[in-house]
Amino acid sequence: METNKKSAPFVNIGSSSLLVIFLVLCLVTFATLSLSSAQSDYKFSQKLADRRTDYYTASNQAEEILDSIDAVLAHSYKESPDTYFTEVQSRLSELTFGDTLEMDFSTGTPSVAYQVTVDEKQALSVVLELNPTDRISEGFCRVRQWKVVATQEWSGDDTLNLMK
C-alpha cells in the first residue's frame, strides 16, 4: 500500500488565498487613504471658499463706501469749487461709516482712509488720495491702497497634532 500524498494542491490553494487576502487588504488601505485625502481636500476648499466670500463681501462694502465718498466729492466740487477741500472735510465728517474713516488734510495731497472688516483677523484697508481742483478731470480721487491687513497680532503656533 502506497499512499501518495499530494500536498501541492493544498499548498497552492493556501497561497492563492493568502495572495487574495493581501490584495484585498491593499485595496482597502488605498481606498481609506483616498477617502481621507478627499475629505481633507474638501475641508480645505470649503475654508478657501469661505475666505473668498468674506473678502468679496468686504470688497463690495468698500466699493459702496467709495461710491458715497465720490458722491460727496462731486457734490462738494459742484457747490463750492473755491473752498473744495474744506467743504469735503466738513461733509465727510458728517458721514457715518463708524470709526474707520480717517481724513488727513494737513499735507499737500489730502487723503481719506477707511477699513472694512473681512473676518475676525483681517480687514480691507483703503486709502484714497484726493486730486486737487486743477486735476479733477482725472477724477475726484485715486485709490492709493486697497489691501487686506491683519487686525490682530500674529502668534506663531509651531505645534504639530500628531495624534488625534
Side-chain angles (χ1 to χ4, degrees):
M1 271 203 228
E2 257 181 64
T3 56
N4 290 335
K5 293 184 179 180
K6 294 184 178 181
S7 62
F10 179 71
V11 172
N12 287 341
I13 291 173
S15 63
S16 65
S17 296
L18 286 175
L19 183 61
V20 168
I21 290 171
F22 177 72
L23 289 175
V24 168
L25 286 175
C26 286
L27 289 174
V28 167
T29 303
F30 288 135
T32 305
L33 289 173
S34 296
L35 182 64
S36 68
S37 175
Q39 187 177 15
S40 67
D41 287 347
Y42 176 74
K43 287 180 182 177
F44 178 71
S45 66
Q46 282 299 111
K47 286 182 183 178
L48 189 60
D50 291 342
R51 286 182 185 167
R52 284 190 178 172
T53 301
D54 292 343
Y55 171 78
Y56 285 118
T57 300
S59 182
N60 286 340
Q61 291 174 353
E63 287 281 347
E64 290 173 2
I65 293 172
L66 176 60
D67 186 47
S68 299
I69 291 172
D70 198 44
V72 166
L73 295 174
H75 185 60
S76 298
Y77 183 73
K78 183 180 177 183
E79 291 293 317
S80 56
D82 297 334
T83 58
Y84 173 62
F85 287 131
T86 55
E87 183 73 21
V88 166
Q89 191 173 9
S90 68
R91 287 182 188 257
L92 284 179
S93 62
E94 294 172 2
L95 292 179
T96 56
F97 297 126
D99 297 333
T100 60
L101 189 66
E102 297 175 8
M103 298 178 285
D104 183 15
F105 286 87
S106 62
T107 62
T109 308
S111 65
V112 176
Y114 59 93
Q115 285 189 348
V116 178
T117 303
V118 175
D119 59 19
E120 63 274 355
K121 296 179 183 178
Q122 296 177 332
L124 181 62
S125 175
V126 179
V127 177
L128 305 174
E129 203 171 75
L130 304 182
N131 286 333
T133 54
D134 59 341
R135 291 181 39 208
I136 291 294
S137 62
E138 299 173 11
F140 293 107
C141 63
R142 70 180 185 94
V143 178
R144 190 171 70 197
Q145 175 179 303
W146 188 284
K147 71 176 185 176
V148 176
V149 294
T151 56
Q152 293 180 353
E153 189 68 29
W154 181 76
S155 60
D157 183 16
D158 57 358
T159 60
L160 295 174
N161 293 329
L162 298 177
M163 303 287 276
K164 284 190 176 185

